[in-house]
Amino acid sequence: TEQSQDLGKIIQAAYDASSMLNRLKTLGRSDFSFSGVCEIGAATANAVDLARKATLSSVGFELDIKPLTERVAISAVALEVVIINLINNAIDAMQGFRGRVKISLTLVSPLPPALAAHTNGNVSGQWARIQVRDTGKGMSQTEVQRMFDPFFTTKPPGKGTGLGLSETFGIV
C-alpha cells in the first residue's frame, strides 16, 4: 500500500540520517588516526554521499567513481576528510550560484611525471587519483600560491577558517 511505502521511505531516511551523523561524529573526534588502510572506492563513495546530503540543491554532482576495491595507505576517516574538504571548497567557489561538482576516482600507472617529481623517483605500481572539479570562478595566481597556507581564505571575515585545504594538504 501507499502508506507502507511511505513508512519504508521514512525508515530508510532515518537510517541514512543516523549513518550520516555517526560519520560526522567520527570526523569531529580529535582522537582518530590518519594512518591505516582502506578500500579506496568505498571510502570515496561514503565521503561523496555525506557531502551530497549536506549540500544545497543548486549544486549538481557528476560522479565518475570507478568501483575500485584496491586498498590504499590512508584511513577511511582521513580520506573522507580530504574529499569532503575538497568538495566544500568547490561548492564555496560557486558562491551560492547554480553549479556542478565533478568527482572522479581512477587508478593511474605509472605515476604522471608532474607527480613523480615530488617522490624522488622512488615509486612504482598503481596510484589512486581523486579529482574534484567545479564550475566556480577559479583562483588568482596569488591565491593558488597560498591556498594550502593555514588560515588563508578568500572568504570575507567570519565566513571561513582557511583550514580545509591546509588540513587536506597535511593529510595527503
Side-chain angles (χ1 to χ4, degrees), residues 26-127:
T26 300
L27 289 174
R29 282 190 205 120
S30 60
D31 61 343
F32 65 83
S33 170
F34 285 148
S35 63
V37 176
C38 73
E39 188 177 294
I40 186 81
T44 301
N46 283 340
V48 170
D49 184 49
L50 184 60
R52 284 175 96 165
K53 288 178 180 173
T55 301
L56 300 171
S57 61
S58 63
V59 176
F61 282 82
E62 183 180 333
L63 305 176
D64 183 15
I65 299 175
K66 307 289 185 248
L68 302 177
T69 57
E70 286 75 8
R71 299 182 65 75
V72 294
I74 188 171
S75 74
V77 170
L79 182 60
E80 287 182 2
V81 168
V82 166
I83 293 169
I84 289 169
N85 280 342
L86 292 173
I87 291 171
N88 285 340
N89 201 59
I91 291 167
D92 286 346
M94 290 181 252
Q95 301 176 330
F97 295 103
R98 288 188 102 49
R100 299 196 59 74
V101 176
K102 180 178 181 179
I103 302 142
S104 63
L105 169 65
T106 56
L107 289 180
V108 293
S109 178
L111 193 60
L115 295 177
H118 296 285
T119 64
N120 299 325
N122 299 328
V123 298
S124 62
Q126 291 187 315
W127 291 75

Side-chain angles (χ1 to χ4, degrees), residues 13 18-19 22-23 29 35 42 72 78 109 118 120 123 140 142 153 161:
S18 175
S19 172
N22 284 333
R23 291 199 323 245
R29 282 190 205 120
S35 63
V72 294
S109 178
H118 296 285
N120 299 325
V123 298
S140 71
T142 302
T153 182
T161 62

Side-chain angles (χ1 to χ4, degrees), residues 151-169:
F151 307 109
F152 173 75
T153 182
T154 59
K155 298 177 197 135
K159 296 291 183 184
T161 62
L163 292 174
L165 289 181
S166 175
E167 178 182 39
T168 296
F169 181 78

